[in-house]
């Protein structure tokens, strides 16, 4: 998950003096950072070090990632003219991403690499808001106030992010994860009418490649079925609903990913251990379960706690 690396001293060491987005476009560095948590924790898969805004940057959007804040855009996209000025992503611009994936896959040996991209709604909400927001209010207003402009923005975002995801899988990633981190601010009706078609369009860029597709959001307990139905094989769940309940809502047919509560990483080990075992037990009710955190790793997390969770999950107490 996002920020797994931030808790590692070796990450902070290699990142010294290099901005977040610059490090994503430096293939050797991006690859090294991807490998660090695998080496340290012995996890079963790596997640590619990049960011959901990297393809926007490569399509010419003026975006920066501000530490402690998140993605910030020089010019928010709010009108039909703003959307008309957005350029498509030239796949050739993805060369540094492709090289980083190729290097990483070679270095990982048998450990699979998960490629990822942001879902159109999460990207569009950053673009419309101009940066992070609590409730994605401007974006949710735009989808109703000017559905045509909203639709054009979502289609653009779907193709940019789908191109980014496809490049990673073509370069050797074994799975594709779509992050709709802020979809939880939507009603099911708005999700289905104004968001789901673009998420399907993004995933259409990779369906022919035959890799498993994971679809994740936070606060999406009401949207799980709709998020599966856009074309996902696995649905990611955050800490807000237990996995057995998520499985029930999905009709017992869909593998799940989740959902250790990041807040408990700072709790005493017996409390965290009981929570992890509870997550594993509930996950076992689903037809498959990928154990991970319900959301990102808090930067102050003790990395040894993460290693201990991996050992517990592997049955090495
Ligand atoms: O953990 C990893 O390194 C995996 C790679 C990864 C990153 N971003 C690197 C990153 C992944 C999968 C992402 C996805 C991402 N980026 C999402 C979707 C997943 C989620 O967590 O909801 C979102 C919403 C973003 C946008 C973003 N990028 C935010 C909100 C932030 C936090 C800004 C801050 O400092 O609080 C980032 C920065 C970011 N992306 C970091 C990393 C390692 C931290 C940068 C740093 O080192 O300071």
């Amino acid at each position: 998950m996002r920020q797994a690396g931030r808790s590692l001293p070796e990450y902070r060491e290699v990142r010294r003096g290099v901005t977040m987005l610059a490090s994503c476009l430096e293939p050797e560095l991006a690859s090294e950072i991807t490998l660090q948590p695998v080496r340290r924790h012995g996890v079963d898969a790596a997640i590619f070090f990049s960011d959901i805004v990297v393809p926007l940057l490569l399509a010419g959007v003026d975006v920066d990632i501000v530490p402690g804040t998140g993605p910030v855009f020089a010019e928010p996209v709010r009108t039909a003219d703003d959307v008309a000025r957005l350029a498509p992503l030239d796949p050739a611009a993805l060369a540094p991403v492709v090289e980083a994936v190729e290097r990483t896959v070679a270095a990982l040996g048998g450990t699979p690499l998960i490629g990822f991209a942001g879902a159109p709604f999460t990207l569009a909400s950053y673009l419309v808001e101009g940066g992070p927001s609590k409730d994605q209010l401007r974006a949710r207003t735009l989808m109703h106030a000017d559905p045509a402009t909203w639709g054009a923005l979502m289609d653009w975002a779907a193709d940019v992010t789908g191109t980014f995801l496809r490049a990673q899988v073509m370069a050797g990633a074994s799975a594709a994860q779509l992050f709709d981190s802020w979809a939880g601010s939507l009603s099911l009706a708005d999700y289905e009418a104004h968001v789901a078609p673009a998420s399907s369009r993004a995933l259409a860029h990779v369906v022919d490649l035959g890799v498993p597709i994971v679809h994740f959001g936070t606060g999406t307990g009401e949207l799980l079925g709709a998020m599966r139905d856009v074309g996902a094989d696995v649905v990611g769940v955050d800490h807000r609903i237990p996995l057995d309940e998520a499985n029930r809502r999905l009709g017992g047919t869909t593998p799940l990913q989740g959902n250790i509560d990041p807040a408990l990483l700072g709790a005493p080990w017996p409390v965290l251990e009981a929570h992890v075992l509870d997550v594993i037990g509930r996950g076992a009710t689903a037809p498959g379960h990928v154990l991970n955190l319900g959301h990102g790793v808090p930067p102050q997390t003790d990395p040894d706690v993460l290693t201990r969770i991996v050992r517990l999950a592997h049955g090495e107490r």
Side-chain angles (χ1 to χ4, degrees), residues 16 34 56 69 87 107 113 121-122 130 144-145 162 170 190 214 230 286 307:
R16 203 180 299 152
T34 304
L56 307 183
T69 299
L113 178 69
F121 173 71
T122 289
H144 291 284
M170 294 294 287
D190 278 352
V214 187
V230 300
T307 306

Side-chain angles (χ1 to χ4, degrees), residues 1-6 11 15 20 24 33 37 47-53 65-71 116-118 122 126 132 177 179-182 216 218 295-297 299:
M1 298 298 285
R2 163 161 65 88
Q3 304 172 4
R6 273 212 293 191
Y11 170 71
R15 273 289 315 282
M20 174 64 201
C24 294
I33 294 172
I47 182 138
F48 181 51
F49 178 80
S50 190
D51 196 86
I52 59 170
V53 301
I65 292 183
V66 177
T69 299
F116 75 93
T122 289
Y126 277 120
Q177 179 157 195
F179 282 101
D180 211 348
S181 305
W182 311 139
F216 168 84
T218 65
H295 205 188
V297 179

Side-chain angles (χ1 to χ4, degrees), residues 23-55:
S23 58
C24 294
L25 298 177
E26 195 64 62
E28 213 171 328
L29 183 57
S31 175
E32 166 59 22
I33 294 172
T34 304
L35 298 168
Q36 285 178 343
V38 181
R39 271 189 217 122
R40 184 187 268 254
H41 302 306
V43 281
D44 299 312
I47 182 138
F48 181 51
F49 178 80
S50 190
D51 196 86
I52 59 170
V53 301
V54 164

Side-chain angles (χ1 to χ4, degrees), residues 190-274:
D190 278 352
Y191 183 82
E192 287 181 330
H194 300 288
V195 171
S199 294
S200 291
R201 179 171 172 145
L203 291 177
H205 286 261
V206 296
V207 276
D208 62 306
L209 301 177
V211 297
I213 294 171
V214 187
H215 197 182
F216 168 84
T218 65
T220 45
E222 305 301 323
L223 307 180
L224 297 175
M227 288 179 66
R228 187 240 341 258
D229 294 343
V230 300
D233 302 302
V234 178
V235 172
V237 180
D238 78 356
H239 66 277
R240 290 174 180 83
I241 64 166
L243 292 179
D244 51 339
E245 172 60 14
N247 180 53
R248 192 192 63 74
R249 292 184 189 192
L250 287 163
T253 56
T254 307
L256 298 177
Q257 176 182 282
N259 67 348
I260 297 169
D261 185 346
L264 271 74
L265 298 175
W269 174 251
V271 176
L272 175 58
E273 180 184 43

Side-chain angles (χ1 to χ4, degrees), residues 53-294:
V53 301
V54 164
L56 307 183
L57 179 76
L58 296 176
V61 173
D62 187 345
V63 55
D64 194 13
I65 292 183
V66 177
T69 299
V72 175
F73 294 81
E75 294 167 26
V77 177
R78 294 181 183 159
T79 66
D81 283 352
D82 294 341
V83 175
R85 274 195 295 273
L86 295 167
L89 172 59
D90 176 359
L94 290 165
V97 170
V98 169
E99 187 188 333
V101 171
E102 286 172 350
R103 278 174 177 272
T104 307
V105 169
L108 279 168
T111 303
L113 178 69
I114 305 168
F116 75 93
F121 173 71
T122 289
L123 294 175
S125 58
Y126 277 120
L127 285 158
V128 173
E129 304 282 344
S133 75
K134 221 171 52 220
D135 46 16
Q136 292 75 47
L137 198 69
R138 280 178 196 269
R140 291 188 298 112
T141 299
L142 182 65
M143 73 174 61
H144 291 284
D146 187 352
T149 296
W150 175 256
L153 174 58
M154 290 291 278
D155 284 351
W156 175 83
D159 290 338
V160 166
T161 210
T163 302
F164 175 59
L165 195 56
R166 184 175 181 86
Q168 294 168 58
V169 178
M170 294 294 287
S174 304
Q177 179 157 195
L178 195 68
F179 282 101
D180 211 348
S181 305
W182 311 139
S185 68
L186 296 163
S187 67
L188 178 59
D190 278 352
Y191 183 82
E192 287 181 330
H194 300 288
V195 171
S199 294
S200 291
R201 179 171 172 145
L203 291 177
H205 286 261
V206 296
V207 276
D208 62 306
L209 301 177
V211 297
I213 294 171
V214 187
H215 197 182
F216 168 84
T218 65
T220 45
E222 305 301 323
L223 307 180
L224 297 175
M227 288 179 66
R228 187 240 341 258
D229 294 343
V230 300
D233 302 302
V234 178
V235 172
V237 180
D238 78 356
H239 66 277
R240 290 174 180 83
I241 64 166
L243 292 179
D244 51 339
E245 172 60 14
N247 180 53
R248 192 192 63 74
R249 292 184 189 192
L250 287 163
T253 56
T254 307
L256 298 177
Q257 176 182 282
N259 67 348
I260 297 169
D261 185 346
L264 271 74
L265 298 175
W269 174 251
V271 176
L272 175 58
E273 180 184 43
H275 173 59
V276 172
L277 292 173
D278 183 61
V279 168
I280 292 172
R282 292 176 193 274
T285 65
H289 176 209
V290 180
L291 178 69
N292 80 339
L293 299 187

